[in-house]
Amino acid sequence: MTAVAEALEQVRSMLLEVLRFDDPAGWSDDELLAATASIEAVGRVIDAHRAACAGEIDERSRAELGSERLSARRGCRSASELLERVTQVSGAEARRRITLGAATRARVGFTGEPLDAEFPGVAAALAAGVLGADPASTIVRELDRPRRIADPVKFAAAEHELVAAATGDGGVAGASTVRCAADEVRVQAQAWAAFLDQDGPEPDDDRAMLRRGVRLGRARDGLIPIRGDLMPEVAAGLTRLFDAHLSPRSSTGFVTDEEAAHFDISGEQRTSDQQCHDVLAAVIETAARSGEHPSIGGAAPTVIVSVRASDLAAGRGAGHADGVEIPVSLRAVRQLMCTGGTQRVVFDDRGRIIELGSQERCFTPQQRRAITLRDGGCLIPGCSVPASWCEIHHVIPDVDGGPTHPDNGVLLCWFHHRSIDTSGWGIRMQRGVPQIRPPVWLDPGGGWRDSTKSPTRVADRLERRSGSAA
Ligand SMILES: [Zn+2]
């Protein structure tokens, strides 16, 4: 054990001894509040060093060190994971400490010259034990973005004012004032951030470039929120994609007048938000399949979902997707299996892999091209999703012996594939030709009929019809 660790261990025993006081229930109000404040002051000293250590771990784990980075040498993917393992805190807390530590850490310039920390005022107050991690993190979070674009003199003034407000020390007048709680500091910091932001020396476009970003939030109620700020031209592109597929549906020209009359498809069940979601789902699926993205471990960047065969057979439980913290439903698992294929892995009772199947049930690009030529797009009438955005659905599921063959695969968009078991639409193959049957609510008494959106096959059909009429 190092000298510091040894000394800290002694302090810890002493603290335990000092704090082994009688039950707080026996204290007077004044004693209770005084002890609370004193304990917080001790906590602030610890906070500062927690952040400093986290910042140092992060520095030693920086990407450019490659396999020499500290996190990698200790078998962790990131500084955050290493910190979680050493301290047993949550990922969110580890990242918060690292952010604070990195922002308050003295830096070194390109030529080795010492540089101030990004937030020198916060760093000094932390080190002095007068500023806790809570308000310090708030200041760093709120001022980090404006810091990159603001006039350095004004930024320094903002940081100074906020630290003064949080510590009750100094400020413009240099007089001691009442300390603000972290929430009050946040309100003040947001006001400063707005002020610094509009004062930035960069033109609008450069500032927008610095501020652009997209991120996925924490899972909530079974969904993952997405947040961010898009550059205007990117938003325009996305808006065009959404518009092209939002109700009222755009005409593909491949739904014949007869078809359009036969099915009154005006009753789109989805909200426009839901339709935008489904467009995004198709865009992601298409992009991953394009083969033009960097591979992950030699494979296309597809989603890997694991599920227990017994759960799948019994229709209960859930699957787990790599990179997402909440489970995915069995219905989603079946859809992914249907379109993406499966690999069977059998474990023995102790968890050893005793059987490893090869990957199965994935339509080849050649099969996909053939199916595309035959179906032309999502088979459901009135749906405008083009073939390249569609998934391939096994009409007879694999578990029921359905082969991975063009005679058993049809194009469906993400939404119609996801809802095919519940929407009421029927799909069957007649000698290799897809037929659909509308749900009863849409077409009571309606029967099976051929369906295609392929311009080639529509042309065929029209030719045959005009031939028989002549
Ligand atoms: Zn569709």
Side-chain angles (χ1 to χ4, degrees):
M1 207 182 267
T2 65
V4 173
E6 220 165 272
L8 281 173
E9 187 51 38
Q10 283 177 14
V11 172
R12 198 178 72 89
S13 326
M14 280 168 59
L15 259 181
L16 278 174
E17 201 53 47
V18 172
L19 296 178
R20 194 172 290 140
F21 37 56
D22 25 75
D23 191 350
W27 294 345
S28 73
D29 292 350
D30 286 345
E31 283 170 336
L32 173 63
L33 299 181
T36 302
S38 298
I39 289 168
E40 194 60 31
V42 173
R44 279 195 285 271
V45 175
I46 303 295
D47 278 353
H49 290 88
R50 279 175 166 158
C53 289
E56 186 62 29
I57 288 175
D58 183 55
E59 174 67 15
R60 294 184 193 189
S61 304
R62 62 190 190 278
E64 67 257 32
L65 294 178
S67 58
E68 278 309 297
R69 56 196 204 281
L70 178 58
S71 52
R73 282 188 280 123
R74 297 301 164 102
C76 294
R77 281 173 299 183
S78 62
S80 169
E81 185 186 335
L82 178 56
L83 189 59
E84 288 166 53
R85 292 195 187 285
V86 174
T87 61
Q88 292 86 48
V89 297
S90 67
E93 174 63 17
R95 286 189 291 277
R96 199 181 61 80
R97 287 185 191 174
I98 286 173
T99 303
L100 183 57
T104 52
R105 187 177 186 285
R107 293 172 297 167
V108 180
F110 286 116
T111 53
E113 78 279 15
L115 292 178
D116 262 353
E118 291 171 357
F119 286 81
V122 174
L126 267 179
V130 292
L131 184 68
D134 195 358
S137 289
T138 300
I139 295 172
V140 167
R141 186 179 64 240
E142 299 297 338
L143 288 198
D144 190 48
R145 197 171 72 179
R147 182 182 63 82
R148 297 158 201 264
I149 52 180
D151 173 351
V153 174
K154 289 179 178 163
F155 168 76
E159 187 197 9
H160 179 80
E161 283 301 312
L162 289 169
V163 170
T167 59
D169 182 28
V172 183
S176 199
T177 51
V178 177
R179 291 185 213 171
C180 293
D183 282 335
E184 296 167 287
V185 172
R186 176 172 48 78
V187 173
Q188 291 186 19
Q190 284 167 345
W192 274 106
F195 169 72
L196 292 172
D197 207 358
Q198 41 163 286
D199 200 43
E202 313 275 1
D204 278 355
D205 184 60
D206 290 354
R207 287 202 290 147
M209 277 296 278
L210 288 165
R211 291 161 54 187
R212 78 193 188 285
V214 169
R215 62 189 175 281
L216 298 178
R218 299 204 113 202
R220 205 172 49 215
D221 300 333
L223 293 168
I224 312 278
I226 176 170
R227 292 192 211 92
D229 300 286
L230 299 181
M231 295 298 286
E233 66 273 29
V234 175
L238 194 58
T239 306
R240 293 288 292 159
L241 277 177
F242 288 156
D243 285 350
H245 293 276
L246 283 182
S247 280
R249 72 182 189 279
S250 55
S251 170
T252 59
F254 303 146
V255 181
T256 62
D257 290 346
E258 182 198 358
E259 264 180 339
H262 192 76
F263 303 120
D264 176 20
I265 321 282
S266 55
E268 171 63 63
Q269 305 276 298
R270 291 173 285 172
T271 66
S272 58
D273 282 4
Q274 289 170 338
Q275 292 180 64
C276 287
H277 170 276
D278 299 351
V279 169
L280 208 53
V283 169
I284 293 163
E285 220 271 327
T286 311
R289 186 162 26 79
S290 70
E292 291 176 3
H293 292 270
S295 62
I296 300 172
T302 40
V303 177
I304 310 263
V305 175
S306 56
V307 65
R308 301 191 321 155
S310 54
D311 285 350
L312 203 57
R316 58 170 157 68
H320 295 275
D322 266 6
V324 180
E325 55 196 307
I326 52 175
V328 292
S329 71
L330 280 189
R331 207 191 295 171
V333 170
R334 287 199 200 95
Q335 178 180 10
L336 287 159
M337 285 173 64
C338 185
T339 200
T342 54
Q343 184 172 28
R344 186 179 156 83
V345 182
V346 182
F347 298 95
D348 70 8
D349 292 344
R350 288 174 42 248
R352 181 179 175 196
I353 295 170
I354 52 173
E355 188 190 323
L356 185 59
S358 56
Q359 199 181 344
E360 305 149 36
R361 302 177 58 258
C362 230
F363 285 94
T364 65
Q366 291 90 327
Q367 288 174 322
R368 187 182 172 89
R369 278 196 292 275
I371 293 169
T372 295
L373 187 64
R374 186 194 63 206
D375 295 350
C378 177
L379 274 191
I380 304 301
C383 179
S384 67
V385 174
S388 55
W389 285 20
C390 283
E391 305 180 350
I392 304 184
H393 168 58
H394 281 75
V395 177
I396 302 171
D398 174 64
V399 288
D400 300 333
T404 299
H405 184 280
D407 283 354
N408 190 43
V410 297
L411 294 183
L412 286 180
C413 72
W414 180 88
F415 170 69
H416 285 120
H417 196 191
R418 183 72 146 78
S419 57
I420 196 67
D421 291 338
T422 50
S423 62
W425 283 96
I427 298 181
R428 71 176 184 188
M429 301 299 285
Q430 285 293 88
R431 290 181 296 283
V433 179
Q435 291 192 324
I436 52 141
R437 185 181 59 196
V440 178
W441 60 266
L442 195 58
D443 185 26
W448 292 97
R449 57 202 305 276
D450 287 0
S451 177
T452 186
K453 286 174 187 161
S454 162
T456 320
R457 287 191 57 221
V458 169
D460 258 0
R461 200 195 287 178
L462 292 177
E463 192 177 275
R464 268 201 307 278
R465 205 169 292 167
S466 59
S468 64

